[in-house]
Amino acid sequence: MPFRFGGLGLTDELPIYINFPLIKSSDICKKRFKIVATGDPQPYSNNEVGYVRDSFAKELAQMEDLEAVLVEGDLMGDDLSLFPRFKRIMSLANAPQYYAPGNHDLDSMLLVTTL
């Protein structure tokens, strides 16, 4: 069955191990850092993605010392075609962004019925 938004593309064969090394940073002694964590923006239309742009993303863009943005669960309201625009708008934050999908972010299979 086809996926509503195309599913994930094929990847190459995975190696036996995938290692994420720790790298010493010049900021190792930093005592404070600023991140923004939020959840459930869940826009259901392009119009609602515009609300994210005009409110939340605008506030993030004004934060000069922001080091990361974490957006948790239900990034979209069941329409993954809005996600590319959402990510472009959120990039106004000019900080690394990490997304944790929720149940409204699944690429469900289309159910095709015949009469």
Side-chain angles (χ1 to χ4, degrees):
M1 256 193 238
F3 285 96
R4 186 170 175 209
F5 298 99
L8 295 174
L10 298 175
T11 60
D12 289 333
E13 191 172 321
L14 292 176
I16 294 173
Y17 298 104
I18 299 175
N19 297 314
F20 297 93
L22 297 176
I23 300 171
K24 189 172 183 176
S25 169
S26 60
D27 294 334
I28 199 76
C29 295
K30 196 171 201 174
K31 294 182 190 274
R32 296 178 59 123
F33 60 95
K34 185 190 287 186
I35 68 165
V36 170
T38 189
D40 294 305
Q42 207 167 347
Y44 281 89
S45 66
N46 265 312
N47 195 38
E48 290 183 8
V49 174
Y51 298 153
V52 172
R53 177 199 61 218
D54 296 342
S55 58
F56 186 58
K58 185 177 179 180
E59 287 182 41
L60 292 176
Q62 295 171 356
M63 295 181 179
E64 294 180 17
D65 55 348
L66 185 61
E67 297 192 46
V69 177
L70 173 62
V71 185
E72 302 171 324
D74 296 341
L75 309 170
M76 298 292 100
D78 296 321
D79 186 350
L80 299 181
S81 70
L82 301 171
F83 193 50
R85 180 173 179 233
F86 178 84
K87 290 190 302 184
R88 282 192 307 275
I89 286 169
M90 292 295 290
S91 72
L92 295 172
N94 200 28
Q97 296 173 32
Y98 304 94
Y99 297 103
N103 64 306
H104 287 274
D105 304 313
L106 300 175
D107 191 0
S108 301
M109 293 178 133
L110 288 173
L111 297 177
V112 180
T113 59
T114 58
L115 298 175

